[in-house]
Amino acid sequence: MITPPAPPRDTATEGLLLWLASRLGIVILVVVGAQALMEGDAVPKPFLERWRNWDAGLLITIAEHGYDGAPGSEPDKGLPAFFPGMPLMLRAVHLVIDDWTLAGLLISFVAGAVAMTALARLAEFEGSPEAGRWAVLALLLWPMAVFLFAGYSESLFLAFAVPAWLAARQGRWPLAAALAAGASCVRITGLFLALALLVEFVARRQPVRRAGWLLLPFVPLALYSAYQYSRTGDWLAWKTAQEAGWGRHMVWPWESLITTWNAAMGEGRFAWAFRLEIAGAVVGIALVLVLLCLRRWSEFVYVGLQVGALLCSAYYLSVPRSALLWWPLFILIAKASSGPAPWRRWIIIVYALVVGPLMALNTLIFTDGAWVG
């Protein structure tokens, strides 16, 4: 008897289904967790209010009032650190959805769906259909995956950046450049993406006549710098805002490590957050070394520049959260977990058992209003 061939696997659909299922899981976790953690007759905060914390609130402030902040309040010198892509998207969605927090959650939901389908296709292109599924799962279980649900800019950035990288891998340079320009509107990380695309272009020995497209991702960066210069007289206002708002300035890496280590040895939630920062730094350094050994030059540039900038900051801040943007990490995990050997599946199983509880814990901590990264 001839066994009929298995139907072809739709990797993008699998990635989308994992995304939808994980969103439902987080809703259940937050709703049930909020009830379980309440003491006595206390009433938990409304669901939407739990997601307007930290940067989510700052992005809403920019969208609602601009970079000068709310009228009548002291100007927040840290606001220019946020690029205009997410605030502009918030303003657009707010025309239809009145609640700013809900608008931010909706943007992250839709953008994340785009990013997960693109990541599944990229991992399939790099490895196998099975790798596409595991790459998405690895990202969704990352300890800081709560920020893909919240109204932060990570999901929106990935919705541009991952399809841009896939397009570059496929040799569609005009599309890659246009998508990377969108990513540059969202985060300064777009600069590292633009530089990595240049390296990828050179590594693939593409015709010089096509190189002009790769200037496009730098245009939003130049325009935003010019806009902030018109406001503040500072071409690097986003960098100055990082220093003013968070005390982030360049130091030697050992100085940053010592400062972070001392903070991590304290007590309380902030100490826990700094311990995760150190763990994120270790992962980042390991990833850079692996990419270097594999001679993945473009990914090495993309991740290496981010890791270098983060480790030379005054202290480690948002390192594990930045790892959400390191899709080479999740593709490497997925490729290691794929293949005919049964033992490979244990890689993704062990990964899920180790980092999954951290993701759930950080979700509860964030929605309780505490800093997690």
Side-chain angles (χ1 to χ4, degrees):
M1 180 177 179
I2 300 176
T3 303
R9 175 179 291 164
D10 188 343
T11 306
T13 300
E14 288 185 346
L16 180 59
L17 289 176
L18 285 171
W19 172 254
L20 296 176
S22 68
R23 301 310 88 184
L24 177 60
I26 286 181
V27 170
I28 295 173
L29 174 66
V30 172
V31 171
V32 174
Q35 295 287 345
L37 295 177
M38 286 296 102
E39 297 180 0
D41 297 328
V43 178
K45 292 190 298 185
F47 181 81
L48 287 181
E49 188 177 337
R50 290 180 167 274
W51 294 98
R52 190 165 177 161
N53 297 326
W54 305 99
D55 291 5
L58 296 176
L59 288 165
I60 290 172
T61 297
I62 297 171
E64 191 172 5
H65 305 291
Y67 283 97
D68 291 326
S73 63
E74 186 72 20
D76 187 339
K77 295 181 180 179
L79 291 183
F82 298 96
F83 275 50
M86 185 65 175
L88 288 174
M89 189 67 72
L90 279 167
R91 286 185 69 90
V93 175
H94 183 64
L95 296 175
V96 180
I97 300 201
D98 187 60
D99 188 282
W100 286 101
T101 305
L102 181 59
L105 295 180
L106 180 61
I107 292 169
S108 290
F109 177 77
V110 175
V114 173
M116 295 310 114
T117 55
L119 178 61
R121 287 173 176 159
L122 177 60
E124 180 183 20
F125 184 82
E126 299 278 354
S128 66
E130 189 179 25
R133 177 202 305 160
W134 298 144
V136 172
L137 185 62
L139 175 54
L140 294 178
L141 289 174
W142 184 250
M144 296 299 167
V146 60
F147 294 106
L148 298 177
F149 190 104
Y152 275 55
S153 62
E154 276 77 5
S155 287
L156 186 59
F157 177 85
L158 287 173
F160 286 109
V162 179
W165 200 254
L166 177 59
R169 286 293 199 205
Q170 296 171 338
R172 297 184 292 170
W173 294 104
L175 177 59
L179 290 169
S184 295
C185 295
V186 179
R187 296 176 66 94
I188 186 57
T189 318
L191 172 61
F192 306 131
L193 175 62
L195 294 173
L197 285 175
L198 286 173
V199 175
E200 180 72 10
F201 186 89
V202 172
R204 290 178 173 269
R205 300 180 180 179
Q206 297 296 302
V208 177
R209 66 178 181 276
R210 305 182 69 186
W213 286 105
L214 297 180
L215 296 177
L216 190 58
F218 295 95
V219 173
L221 300 170
L223 291 176
Y224 181 62
S225 294
Y227 167 71
Q228 290 295 352
Y229 177 79
S230 69
R231 290 184 60 253
T232 65
D234 183 1
W235 286 101
L236 295 177
W238 61 269
K239 180 178 179 296
T240 304
Q242 290 274 0
E243 298 173 357
W246 292 269
R248 301 181 73 173
H249 55 274
M250 301 300 290
V251 299
W252 292 109
W254 53 86
E255 295 178 307
S256 180
L257 174 59
I258 292 173
T259 301
T260 307
W261 182 270
N262 291 335
M265 293 303 103
E267 297 180 357
R269 286 181 172 179
F270 272 103
W272 161 251
F274 280 113
R275 290 167 194 165
L276 285 179
E277 296 290 344
I278 294 174
V282 171
V283 172
I285 293 171
L287 176 60
V288 169
L289 293 176
V290 170
L291 293 173
L292 181 61
C293 292
L294 295 176
R295 299 185 179 182
R296 307 280 293 194
W297 304 121
S298 51
E299 289 103 327
F300 170 75
V301 168
Y302 174 71
V303 177
L305 289 175
Q306 294 180 64
V307 172
L310 290 166
L311 299 192
C312 291
S313 180
Y315 54 96
Y316 297 174
L317 181 65
S318 300
V319 177
R321 174 153 68 95
S322 297
L324 290 169
L325 311 181
W326 303 343
W327 61 83
L329 169 64
F330 306 109
I331 290 178
L332 285 174
I333 294 172
K335 292 172 71 173
S337 305
S338 306
W343 63 266
R344 287 181 173 272
R345 300 276 178 86
W346 281 98
I347 295 176
I348 193 66
I349 292 173
V350 171
Y351 173 87
L353 291 174
V354 171
V355 304
L358 293 176
M359 183 275 291
L361 177 62
N362 284 331
T363 299
L364 292 175
I365 292 175
F366 175 85
T367 54
D368 195 40
W371 174 261
V372 294

